[in-house]
Amino acid sequence: MSELGRSLITGLNQALALTPTEELEHHGCSTVVVYDSEEEILTGYVADIPAGVGFHASDAAGLREAFREAVDDYIDMLTSAPDTSR
């Protein structure tokens, strides 16, 4: 996990007073998953993407899939964005 990723995760967990339960990685991006007891869902934010990409699911398998989809969607958005450097 990148230093930026660790820093973002630490800050998020401290701000929300949440304890990380599982770390996931996909295409070089990482996250820490937390359980929201009020909403009864698993949730996370992709730490290595500065755009604040988040995801959630009601079970671990769904959360892993939601994380992969969030990262893949972000990568697809970047690769399909028009070139504005000209």
Side-chain angles (χ1 to χ4, degrees):
M1 177 185 310
S2 71
E3 188 60 36
L4 171 63
R6 288 185 210 290
S7 177
L8 290 171
I9 290 167
T10 299
L12 176 63
N13 287 332
Q14 288 173 347
L16 298 175
L18 297 172
T19 303
T21 57
E22 182 175 350
E23 183 178 316
L24 301 174
E25 290 192 76
H26 182 62
H27 289 301
C29 294
S30 56
T31 186
V32 170
V33 176
V34 296
Y35 178 70
D36 181 334
S37 61
E38 288 184 23
E39 297 292 324
E40 296 184 350
I41 59 172
L42 296 160
T43 188
Y45 288 90
V46 183
D48 301 291
I49 298 176
V53 175
F55 56 93
H56 67 275
S58 58
D59 60 38
L63 190 84
R64 287 183 189 96
E65 180 63 24
F67 170 61
R68 288 189 295 269
E69 286 178 9
V71 171
D72 291 343
D73 288 348
Y74 183 77
I75 291 169
D76 288 346
M77 181 191 70
L78 290 179
T79 58
S80 65
D83 184 3
T84 59
S85 63
R86 299 177 203 194

PDB file of all heavy atoms in Angstrom, residues 49-63:
ATOM      1  N   ILE A  49      -6.912   6.588  -4.594  1.00  0.00           N
ATOM      2  CA  ILE A  49      -7.581   7.431  -5.579  1.00  0.00           C
ATOM      3  C   ILE A  49      -8.021   8.708  -4.874  1.00  0.00           C
ATOM      4  O   ILE A  49      -8.875   8.672  -3.989  1.00  0.00           O
ATOM      5  CB  ILE A  49      -8.792   6.708  -6.203  1.00  0.00           C
ATOM      6  CG1 ILE A  49      -8.329   5.460  -6.950  1.00  0.00           C
ATOM      7  CG2 ILE A  49      -9.547   7.643  -7.128  1.00  0.00           C
ATOM      8  CD1 ILE A  49      -9.448   4.622  -7.531  1.00  0.00           C
ATOM      9  N   PRO A  50      -7.441   9.857  -5.258  1.00  0.00           N
ATOM     10  CA  PRO A  50      -7.753  11.104  -4.554  1.00  0.00           C
ATOM     11  C   PRO A  50      -9.176  11.608  -4.760  1.00  0.00           C
ATOM     12  O   PRO A  50      -9.613  12.502  -4.068  1.00  0.00           O
ATOM     13  CB  PRO A  50      -6.729  12.095  -5.117  1.00  0.00           C
ATOM     14  CG  PRO A  50      -6.253  11.517  -6.388  1.00  0.00           C
ATOM     15  CD  PRO A  50      -6.423  10.037  -6.289  1.00  0.00           C
ATOM     16  N   ALA A  51      -9.930  11.017  -5.675  1.00  0.00           N
ATOM     17  CA  ALA A  51     -11.283  11.484  -5.968  1.00  0.00           C
ATOM     18  C   ALA A  51     -12.309  11.040  -4.928  1.00  0.00           C
ATOM     19  O   ALA A  51     -13.476  11.379  -5.037  1.00  0.00           O
ATOM     20  CB  ALA A  51     -11.700  10.994  -7.356  1.00  0.00           C
ATOM     21  N   GLY A  52     -11.894  10.296  -3.917  1.00  0.00           N
ATOM     22  CA  GLY A  52     -12.826   9.878  -2.868  1.00  0.00           C
ATOM     23  C   GLY A  52     -13.816   8.818  -3.329  1.00  0.00           C
ATOM     24  O   GLY A  52     -15.005   8.919  -3.077  1.00  0.00           O
ATOM     25  N   VAL A  53     -13.349   7.803  -4.020  1.00  0.00           N
ATOM     26  CA  VAL A  53     -14.205   6.739  -4.522  1.00  0.00           C
ATOM     27  C   VAL A  53     -14.551   5.794  -3.382  1.00  0.00           C
ATOM     28  O   VAL A  53     -13.674   5.225  -2.753  1.00  0.00           O
ATOM     29  CB  VAL A  53     -13.498   5.979  -5.676  1.00  0.00           C
ATOM     30  CG1 VAL A  53     -14.329   4.789  -6.127  1.00  0.00           C
ATOM     31  CG2 VAL A  53     -13.211   6.924  -6.832  1.00  0.00           C
ATOM     32  N   GLY A  54     -15.839   5.642  -3.121  1.00  0.00           N
ATOM     33  CA  GLY A  54     -16.305   4.779  -2.042  1.00  0.00           C
ATOM     34  C   GLY A  54     -17.167   3.646  -2.565  1.00  0.00           C
ATOM     35  O   GLY A  54     -17.591   3.647  -3.717  1.00  0.00           O
ATOM     36  N   PHE A  55     -17.444   2.681  -1.711  1.00  0.00           N
ATOM     37  CA  PHE A  55     -18.249   1.521  -2.068  1.00  0.00           C
ATOM     38  C   PHE A  55     -18.776   0.885  -0.801  1.00  0.00           C
ATOM     39  O   PHE A  55     -18.294   1.167   0.293  1.00  0.00           O
ATOM     40  CB  PHE A  55     -17.417   0.520  -2.889  1.00  0.00           C
ATOM     41  CG  PHE A  55     -16.170   0.100  -2.173  1.00  0.00           C
ATOM     42  CD1 PHE A  55     -16.155  -1.031  -1.396  1.00  0.00           C
ATOM     43  CD2 PHE A  55     -15.025   0.877  -2.244  1.00  0.00           C
ATOM     44  CE1 PHE A  55     -15.016  -1.399  -0.702  1.00  0.00           C
ATOM     45  CE2 PHE A  55     -13.874   0.516  -1.566  1.00  0.00           C
ATOM     46  CZ  PHE A  55     -13.879  -0.624  -0.789  1.00  0.00           C
ATOM     47  N   HIS A  56     -19.797   0.045  -0.940  1.00  0.00           N
ATOM     48  CA  HIS A  56     -20.341  -0.660   0.221  1.00  0.00           C
ATOM     49  C   HIS A  56     -21.083  -1.913  -0.235  1.00  0.00           C
ATOM     50  O   HIS A  56     -21.413  -2.055  -1.409  1.00  0.00           O
ATOM     51  CB  HIS A  56     -21.275   0.251   1.028  1.00  0.00           C
ATOM     52  CG  HIS A  56     -22.521   0.607   0.279  1.00  0.00           C
ATOM     53  ND1 HIS A  56     -22.561   1.663  -0.604  1.00  0.00           N
ATOM     54  CD2 HIS A  56     -23.745   0.037   0.260  1.00  0.00           C
ATOM     55  CE1 HIS A  56     -23.772   1.745  -1.119  1.00  0.00           C
ATOM     56  NE2 HIS A  56     -24.506   0.761  -0.625  1.00  0.00           N
ATOM     57  N   ALA A  57     -21.342  -2.792   0.703  1.00  0.00           N
ATOM     58  CA  ALA A  57     -22.101  -4.020   0.449  1.00  0.00           C
ATOM     59  C   ALA A  57     -22.565  -4.590   1.784  1.00  0.00           C
ATOM     60  O   ALA A  57     -22.096  -4.185   2.843  1.00  0.00           O
ATOM     61  CB  ALA A  57     -21.249  -5.042  -0.294  1.00  0.00           C
ATOM     62  N   SER A  58     -23.463  -5.554   1.697  1.00  0.00           N
ATOM     63  CA  SER A  58     -23.990  -6.143   2.927  1.00  0.00           C
ATOM     64  C   SER A  58     -23.225  -7.377   3.385  1.00  0.00           C
ATOM     65  O   SER A  58     -23.435  -7.852   4.499  1.00  0.00           O
ATOM     66  CB  SER A  58     -25.469  -6.507   2.737  1.00  0.00           C
ATOM     67  OG  SER A  58     -25.605  -7.414   1.659  1.00  0.00           O
ATOM     68  N   ASP A  59     -22.326  -7.903   2.525  1.00  0.00           N
ATOM     69  CA  ASP A  59     -21.535  -9.070   2.929  1.00  0.00           C
ATOM     70  C   ASP A  59     -20.129  -8.974   2.337  1.00  0.00           C
ATOM     71  O   ASP A  59     -19.855  -8.142   1.473  1.00  0.00           O
ATOM     72  CB  ASP A  59     -22.208 -10.380   2.545  1.00  0.00           C
ATOM     73  CG  ASP A  59     -22.428 -10.519   1.047  1.00  0.00           C
ATOM     74  OD1 ASP A  59     -21.560 -10.102   0.255  1.00  0.00           O
ATOM     75  OD2 ASP A  59     -23.484 -11.045   0.667  1.00  0.00           O
ATOM     76  N   ALA A  60     -19.240  -9.836   2.804  1.00  0.00           N
ATOM     77  CA  ALA A  60     -17.833  -9.763   2.409  1.00  0.00           C
ATOM     78  C   ALA A  60     -17.637 -10.019   0.920  1.00  0.00           C
ATOM     79  O   ALA A  60     -16.875  -9.314   0.261  1.00  0.00           O
ATOM     80  CB  ALA A  60     -17.011 -10.761   3.233  1.00  0.00           C
ATOM     81  N   ALA A  61     -18.307 -11.000   0.365  1.00  0.00           N
ATOM     82  CA  ALA A  61     -18.162 -11.288  -1.065  1.00  0.00           C
ATOM     83  C   ALA A  61     -18.637 -10.108  -1.902  1.00  0.00           C
ATOM     84  O   ALA A  61     -17.986  -9.712  -2.870  1.00  0.00           O
ATOM     85  CB  ALA A  61     -18.929 -12.551  -1.434  1.00  0.00           C
ATOM     86  N   GLY A  62     -19.750  -9.530  -1.526  1.00  0.00           N
ATOM     87  CA  GLY A  62     -20.271  -8.361  -2.234  1.00  0.00           C
ATOM     88  C   GLY A  62     -19.352  -7.167  -2.107  1.00  0.00           C
ATOM     89  O   GLY A  62     -19.194  -6.391  -3.058  1.00  0.00           O
ATOM     90  N   LEU A  63     -18.717  -7.029  -0.953  1.00  0.00           N
ATOM     91  CA  LEU A  63     -17.814  -5.905  -0.743  1.00  0.00           C
ATOM     92  C   LEU A  63     -16.565  -6.037  -1.605  1.00  0.00           C
ATOM     93  O   LEU A  63     -16.117  -5.069  -2.208  1.00  0.00           O
ATOM     94  CB  LEU A  63     -17.417  -5.796   0.726  1.00  0.00           C
ATOM     95  CG  LEU A  63     -16.670  -4.502   0.992  1.00  0.00           C
ATOM     96  CD1 LEU A  63     -17.653  -3.379   1.218  1.00  0.00           C
ATOM     97  CD2 LEU A  63     -15.732  -4.654   2.132  1.00  0.00           C
TER      98      LEU A  63
END
